[in-house]
Amino acid sequence: MRPKKSKPHARARIYRATPNNLRRLAAVLRRGGLVAVPTETVYGLAAHALDADACARIFVAKGRPTSDPLIVHVGGWRELKAIAETNAAARTLARAFWPGPLTMILPRKSVVPDIVSAGLPSVAVRMPRHALFRRLQRLAGIPLAAPSANPFGYVSPTTAQHVRDGLGDMIGHILDGGPTAIGVESTIVDIRDPQRPRLLRPGAITRAALEKALGRRVSEGARHATPATQAQLAPGMLSRHYSPRTPVELHAAIDRRRAAFTDTTEAWLFFARPTGLAGKNIFALTPTGRATVAARRLFGTLRALDAQQFTRIHVELAPGSGLADAINDRLRRAASKR
Ligand code: AMP
Ligand code: MG
């Protein structure tokens, strides 16, 4: 019989952002430990990006396959230049959107450990805007690799408590920055070839905004299109993501005449609050229909519904484009079958 895996930490501690706590957490990061941190998008599980052993701990804690590369968070352009080859288009995007929820794929420099980029010749880099994240990073003085701070494949965390719910037995330290402002992960753009930028993941920085800043078209590119990562992954593995345990069924628009709202074992999550319809199984992402509010509430709402005893969660897609594309991308993955 195999010995049971011992749990490295009894229960993660949630730290308030006092100067002492920040110094202490920065020291944890510098010596190769893991700290869950707030960013403006979702909470991340951070480690010293140039320390391969530290980064390996991220994969263990999350149960994340090592074929899924990490995003490296930097404090500024100089730090970026130490880890990636830059170009004029990347500089333009950094000027326009950093600090902020934009991740750029660039050619990787050799100081970046293989495990960070899953062996790819490229690296994903971002400079977050969140004030606490930046304070912690400045104190630590190192680039921080950080994927979302949740067990691999589950709904991303937007509060410190979400992090503890998912990883509380796997990590020791969580910095509390309150609920995250944006609520969906960063936009990812592949900008290695300045002539042919590709959008790999929609986020709060929209394709239209990228195109405006660059003055050229940004194409839609498949994530993980590289053979190196594809080969290691079971088909569809990454198409299922951000997923509650309860099955999710998508609706372009919930048809109020045909939907069986009276079956209270199934939940109905409208985009905007449906007028004249109420019930214990009726929910809405936003009272008013604003996409920014819907994005902020998306993951928390999915978690809350998942915690109830519903047998199915019906979800209405967000209307429109821009941030709605980011919301719908996450919803499609949440609904995708394993
Ligand atoms: P997250 O788990 O939310 O931090 O997202 C990380 C995602 O960034 C990965 O799942 C990839 O989709 C993407 N990514 C990271 N590094 C690269 C890279 N070098 N090339 C392409 N995509 C990347
Ligand atoms: Mg993630």
Side-chain angles (χ1 to χ4, degrees), residues 11 37 52 98 103-106 129 134 137 143 165 177 198 212 266 290 296:
R11 199 79 187 130
V37 292
W98 280 8
T103 297
M104 296 196 259
I105 307 295
L106 287 166
R129 180 174 73 209
R134 295 178 69 187
Q137 177 150 55
D165 292 344
R198 293 185 312 139
K212 189 165 174 228
E266 302 198 347
R290 279 183 58 190
R296 198 178 300 144

PDB file of all heavy atoms in Angstrom, residues 11 37 52 98 103-106 129 134 137 143 165 177 198 212 266 290 296:
ATOM      1  N   ARG A  11      -3.540  24.568   7.787  1.00  0.00           N
ATOM      2  CA  ARG A  11      -4.585  25.412   7.233  1.00  0.00           C
ATOM      3  C   ARG A  11      -3.942  26.738   6.870  1.00  0.00           C
ATOM      4  O   ARG A  11      -3.235  27.322   7.685  1.00  0.00           O
ATOM      5  CB  ARG A  11      -5.678  25.618   8.306  1.00  0.00           C
ATOM      6  CG  ARG A  11      -7.000  26.076   7.752  1.00  0.00           C
ATOM      7  CD  ARG A  11      -7.761  24.895   7.160  1.00  0.00           C
ATOM      8  NE  ARG A  11      -8.966  25.398   6.472  1.00  0.00           N
ATOM      9  CZ  ARG A  11      -9.301  25.056   5.241  1.00  0.00           C
ATOM     10  NH1 ARG A  11      -8.562  24.236   4.553  1.00  0.00           N
ATOM     11  NH2 ARG A  11     -10.407  25.527   4.690  1.00  0.00           N
ATOM     12  N   VAL A  37      -1.909  35.693  -3.676  1.00  0.00           N
ATOM     13  CA  VAL A  37      -1.912  37.157  -3.701  1.00  0.00           C
ATOM     14  C   VAL A  37      -3.091  37.701  -4.506  1.00  0.00           C
ATOM     15  O   VAL A  37      -3.511  37.094  -5.498  1.00  0.00           O
ATOM     16  CB  VAL A  37      -0.608  37.676  -4.357  1.00  0.00           C
ATOM     17  CG1 VAL A  37       0.591  37.383  -3.475  1.00  0.00           C
ATOM     18  CG2 VAL A  37      -0.407  37.072  -5.743  1.00  0.00           C
ATOM     19  N   ALA A  52      13.249  27.395 -10.045  1.00  0.00           N
ATOM     20  CA  ALA A  52      12.486  26.276 -10.613  1.00  0.00           C
ATOM     21  C   ALA A  52      11.786  25.445  -9.529  1.00  0.00           C
ATOM     22  O   ALA A  52      10.650  25.006  -9.715  1.00  0.00           O
ATOM     23  CB  ALA A  52      13.397  25.385 -11.459  1.00  0.00           C
ATOM     24  N   TRP A  98      -0.208  48.788 -19.241  1.00  0.00           N
ATOM     25  CA  TRP A  98       0.451  48.388 -17.991  1.00  0.00           C
ATOM     26  C   TRP A  98       0.612  49.576 -17.069  1.00  0.00           C
ATOM     27  O   TRP A  98       0.922  50.670 -17.567  1.00  0.00           O
ATOM     28  CB  TRP A  98       1.818  47.786 -18.289  1.00  0.00           C
ATOM     29  CG  TRP A  98       1.765  46.355 -18.736  1.00  0.00           C
ATOM     30  CD1 TRP A  98       0.656  45.611 -19.035  1.00  0.00           C
ATOM     31  CD2 TRP A  98       2.885  45.492 -18.942  1.00  0.00           C
ATOM     32  NE1 TRP A  98       1.019  44.345 -19.418  1.00  0.00           N
ATOM     33  CE2 TRP A  98       2.397  44.250 -19.369  1.00  0.00           C
ATOM     34  CE3 TRP A  98       4.267  45.646 -18.804  1.00  0.00           C
ATOM     35  CZ2 TRP A  98       3.223  43.169 -19.658  1.00  0.00           C
ATOM     36  CZ3 TRP A  98       5.098  44.587 -19.093  1.00  0.00           C
ATOM     37  CH2 TRP A  98       4.575  43.353 -19.507  1.00  0.00           C
ATOM     38  N   THR A 103      -1.660  40.309 -20.505  1.00  0.00           N
ATOM     39  CA  THR A 103      -0.501  39.415 -20.540  1.00  0.00           C
ATOM     40  C   THR A 103       0.005  39.332 -21.966  1.00  0.00           C
ATOM     41  O   THR A 103      -0.785  39.193 -22.894  1.00  0.00           O
ATOM     42  CB  THR A 103      -0.906  38.010 -20.040  1.00  0.00           C
ATOM     43  OG1 THR A 103      -1.310  38.107 -18.674  1.00  0.00           O
ATOM     44  CG2 THR A 103       0.244  37.029 -20.161  1.00  0.00           C
ATOM     45  N   MET A 104       1.338  39.457 -22.123  1.00  0.00           N
ATOM     46  CA  MET A 104       1.925  39.357 -23.457  1.00  0.00           C
ATOM     47  C   MET A 104       2.796  38.112 -23.553  1.00  0.00           C
ATOM     48  O   MET A 104       3.543  37.805 -22.626  1.00  0.00           O
ATOM     49  CB  MET A 104       2.792  40.591 -23.727  1.00  0.00           C
ATOM     50  CG  MET A 104       2.006  41.875 -23.750  1.00  0.00           C
ATOM     51  SD  MET A 104       2.956  43.206 -24.507  1.00  0.00           S
ATOM     52  CE  MET A 104       3.515  44.072 -23.052  1.00  0.00           C
ATOM     53  N   ILE A 105       2.677  37.417 -24.677  1.00  0.00           N
ATOM     54  CA  ILE A 105       3.572  36.294 -24.953  1.00  0.00           C
ATOM     55  C   ILE A 105       4.750  36.836 -25.762  1.00  0.00           C
ATOM     56  O   ILE A 105       4.559  37.445 -26.822  1.00  0.00           O
ATOM     57  CB  ILE A 105       2.863  35.192 -25.775  1.00  0.00           C
ATOM     58  CG1 ILE A 105       1.556  34.751 -25.107  1.00  0.00           C
ATOM     59  CG2 ILE A 105       3.802  34.016 -26.018  1.00  0.00           C
ATOM     60  CD1 ILE A 105       1.710  34.072 -23.785  1.00  0.00           C
ATOM     61  N   LEU A 106       5.965  36.609 -25.239  1.00  0.00           N
ATOM     62  CA  LEU A 106       7.186  37.082 -25.895  1.00  0.00           C
ATOM     63  C   LEU A 106       8.226  35.964 -25.889  1.00  0.00           C
ATOM     64  O   LEU A 106       8.110  35.015 -25.096  1.00  0.00           O
ATOM     65  CB  LEU A 106       7.732  38.301 -25.138  1.00  0.00           C
ATOM     66  CG  LEU A 106       6.933  39.604 -25.311  1.00  0.00           C
ATOM     67  CD1 LEU A 106       7.350  40.642 -24.281  1.00  0.00           C
ATOM     68  CD2 LEU A 106       7.095  40.149 -26.735  1.00  0.00           C
ATOM     69  N   ARG A 129      -1.849  45.698 -11.784  1.00  0.00           N
ATOM     70  CA  ARG A 129      -2.114  47.058 -11.329  1.00  0.00           C
ATOM     71  C   ARG A 129      -2.435  47.102  -9.828  1.00  0.00           C
ATOM     72  O   ARG A 129      -2.352  48.144  -9.187  1.00  0.00           O
ATOM     73  CB  ARG A 129      -3.325  47.577 -12.132  1.00  0.00           C
ATOM     74  CG  ARG A 129      -3.776  48.977 -11.830  1.00  0.00           C
ATOM     75  CD  ARG A 129      -4.876  49.376 -12.795  1.00  0.00           C
ATOM     76  NE  ARG A 129      -6.128  48.707 -12.486  1.00  0.00           N
ATOM     77  CZ  ARG A 129      -7.067  48.397 -13.391  1.00  0.00           C
ATOM     78  NH1 ARG A 129      -6.873  48.650 -14.677  1.00  0.00           N
ATOM     79  NH2 ARG A 129      -8.176  47.816 -13.027  1.00  0.00           N
ATOM     80  N   ARG A 134       1.578  45.069  -6.014  1.00  0.00           N
ATOM     81  CA  ARG A 134       2.779  45.834  -6.384  1.00  0.00           C
ATOM     82  C   ARG A 134       3.656  46.108  -5.177  1.00  0.00           C
ATOM     83  O   ARG A 134       4.887  46.062  -5.262  1.00  0.00           O
ATOM     84  CB  ARG A 134       2.369  47.128  -7.078  1.00  0.00           C
ATOM     85  CG  ARG A 134       1.665  46.829  -8.411  1.00  0.00           C
ATOM     86  CD  ARG A 134       1.200  48.080  -9.089  1.00  0.00           C
ATOM     87  NE  ARG A 134       2.325  48.864  -9.560  1.00  0.00           N
ATOM     88  CZ  ARG A 134       2.209  50.074 -10.082  1.00  0.00           C
ATOM     89  NH1 ARG A 134       1.026  50.638 -10.180  1.00  0.00           N
ATOM     90  NH2 ARG A 134       3.273  50.710 -10.500  1.00  0.00           N
ATOM     91  N   GLN A 137       5.411  42.874  -4.420  1.00  0.00           N
ATOM     92  CA  GLN A 137       6.435  42.573  -5.419  1.00  0.00           C
ATOM     93  C   GLN A 137       7.649  43.475  -5.249  1.00  0.00           C
ATOM     94  O   GLN A 137       8.790  43.033  -5.384  1.00  0.00           O
ATOM     95  CB  GLN A 137       5.865  42.713  -6.832  1.00  0.00           C
ATOM     96  CG  GLN A 137       6.928  42.474  -7.905  1.00  0.00           C
ATOM     97  CD  GLN A 137       6.373  41.906  -9.179  1.00  0.00           C
ATOM     98  OE1 GLN A 137       5.465  42.482  -9.758  1.00  0.00           O
ATOM     99  NE2 GLN A 137       6.901  40.787  -9.620  1.00  0.00           N
ATOM    100  N   PRO A 143      10.707  38.693 -10.004  1.00  0.00           N
ATOM    101  CA  PRO A 143       9.534  38.389 -10.823  1.00  0.00           C
ATOM    102  C   PRO A 143       8.756  37.234 -10.206  1.00  0.00           C
ATOM    103  O   PRO A 143       9.360  36.329  -9.623  1.00  0.00           O
ATOM    104  CB  PRO A 143      10.128  37.987 -12.178  1.00  0.00           C
ATOM    105  CG  PRO A 143      11.542  37.615 -11.905  1.00  0.00           C
ATOM    106  CD  PRO A 143      11.976  38.347 -10.672  1.00  0.00           C
ATOM    107  N   ASP A 165     -10.744  28.084   0.600  1.00  0.00           N
ATOM    108  CA  ASP A 165     -11.669  26.973   0.337  1.00  0.00           C
ATOM    109  C   ASP A 165     -11.024  25.926  -0.565  1.00  0.00           C
ATOM    110  O   ASP A 165     -11.221  24.725  -0.380  1.00  0.00           O
ATOM    111  CB  ASP A 165     -12.948  27.483  -0.347  1.00  0.00           C
ATOM    112  CG  ASP A 165     -13.799  28.343   0.574  1.00  0.00           C
ATOM    113  OD1 ASP A 165     -13.574  28.299   1.810  1.00  0.00           O
ATOM    114  OD2 ASP A 165     -14.675  29.078   0.062  1.00  0.00           O
ATOM    115  N   GLY A 177      -6.674  40.922  -0.119  1.00  0.00           N
ATOM    116  CA  GLY A 177      -6.809  42.233  -0.763  1.00  0.00           C
ATOM    117  C   GLY A 177      -8.269  42.546  -1.052  1.00  0.00           C
ATOM    118  O   GLY A 177      -8.553  43.385  -1.893  1.00  0.00           O
ATOM    119  N   ARG A 198      -1.826  38.069 -31.934  1.00  0.00           N
ATOM    120  CA  ARG A 198      -2.941  37.122 -31.825  1.00  0.00           C
ATOM    121  C   ARG A 198      -3.510  37.152 -30.415  1.00  0.00           C
ATOM    122  O   ARG A 198      -2.768  37.095 -29.433  1.00  0.00           O
ATOM    123  CB  ARG A 198      -2.458  35.703 -32.136  1.00  0.00           C
ATOM    124  CG  ARG A 198      -2.022  35.503 -33.584  1.00  0.00           C
ATOM    125  CD  ARG A 198      -1.688  34.045 -33.837  1.00  0.00           C
ATOM    126  NE  ARG A 198      -0.815  33.523 -32.788  1.00  0.00           N
ATOM    127  CZ  ARG A 198      -0.934  32.306 -32.235  1.00  0.00           C
ATOM    128  NH1 ARG A 198      -1.884  31.493 -32.632  1.00  0.00           N
ATOM    129  NH2 ARG A 198      -0.100  31.908 -31.302  1.00  0.00           N
ATOM    130  N   LYS A 212      -6.768  49.232 -31.454  1.00  0.00           N
ATOM    131  CA  LYS A 212      -6.650  50.682 -31.473  1.00  0.00           C
ATOM    132  C   LYS A 212      -5.232  51.110 -31.067  1.00  0.00           C
ATOM    133  O   LYS A 212      -4.609  51.956 -31.713  1.00  0.00           O
ATOM    134  CB  LYS A 212      -7.690  51.295 -30.528  1.00  0.00           C
ATOM    135  CG  LYS A 212      -7.795  52.782 -30.626  1.00  0.00           C
ATOM    136  CD  LYS A 212      -9.059  53.312 -29.977  1.00  0.00           C
ATOM    137  CE  LYS A 212      -9.009  54.843 -29.992  1.00  0.00           C
ATOM    138  NZ  LYS A 212      -9.341  55.414 -28.686  1.00  0.00           N
ATOM    139  N   GLU A 266     -33.126  22.641 -10.356  1.00  0.00           N
ATOM    140  CA  GLU A 266     -32.200  23.241 -11.323  1.00  0.00           C
ATOM    141  C   GLU A 266     -32.165  24.755 -11.150  1.00  0.00           C
ATOM    142  O   GLU A 266     -33.196  25.396 -10.970  1.00  0.00           O
ATOM    143  CB  GLU A 266     -32.621  22.877 -12.757  1.00  0.00           C
ATOM    144  CG  GLU A 266     -32.676  21.364 -12.958  1.00  0.00           C
ATOM    145  CD  GLU A 266     -32.660  20.937 -14.418  1.00  0.00           C
ATOM    146  OE1 GLU A 266     -32.858  21.807 -15.302  1.00  0.00           O
ATOM    147  OE2 GLU A 266     -32.439  19.741 -14.665  1.00  0.00           O
ATOM    148  N   ARG A 290     -24.932  45.394 -16.514  1.00  0.00           N
ATOM    149  CA  ARG A 290     -23.596  45.910 -16.856  1.00  0.00           C
ATOM    150  C   ARG A 290     -22.555  44.798 -16.848  1.00  0.00           C
ATOM    151  O   ARG A 290     -22.419  44.055 -15.888  1.00  0.00           O
ATOM    152  CB  ARG A 290     -23.182  47.010 -15.879  1.00  0.00           C
ATOM    153  CG  ARG A 290     -23.802  48.350 -16.255  1.00  0.00           C
ATOM    154  CD  ARG A 290     -23.335  49.441 -15.342  1.00  0.00           C
ATOM    155  NE  ARG A 290     -21.882  49.573 -15.345  1.00  0.00           N
ATOM    156  CZ  ARG A 290     -21.236  50.342 -14.478  1.00  0.00           C
ATOM    157  NH1 ARG A 290     -21.894  50.994 -13.547  1.00  0.00           N
ATOM    158  NH2 ARG A 290     -19.927  50.434 -14.537  1.00  0.00           N
ATOM    159  N   ARG A 296     -17.221  40.807 -12.512  1.00  0.00           N
ATOM    160  CA  ARG A 296     -16.768  40.810 -11.119  1.00  0.00           C
ATOM    161  C   ARG A 296     -17.478  39.732 -10.314  1.00  0.00           C
ATOM    162  O   ARG A 296     -16.924  39.134  -9.419  1.00  0.00           O
ATOM    163  CB  ARG A 296     -17.064  42.191 -10.525  1.00  0.00           C
ATOM    164  CG  ARG A 296     -16.295  42.517  -9.279  1.00  0.00           C
ATOM    165  CD  ARG A 296     -16.623  43.925  -8.811  1.00  0.00           C
ATOM    166  NE  ARG A 296     -16.301  44.931  -9.804  1.00  0.00           N
ATOM    167  CZ  ARG A 296     -17.016  46.044 -10.019  1.00  0.00           C
ATOM    168  NH1 ARG A 296     -18.111  46.284  -9.309  1.00  0.00           N
ATOM    169  NH2 ARG A 296     -16.646  46.901 -10.937  1.00  0.00           N
TER     170      ARG A 296
END
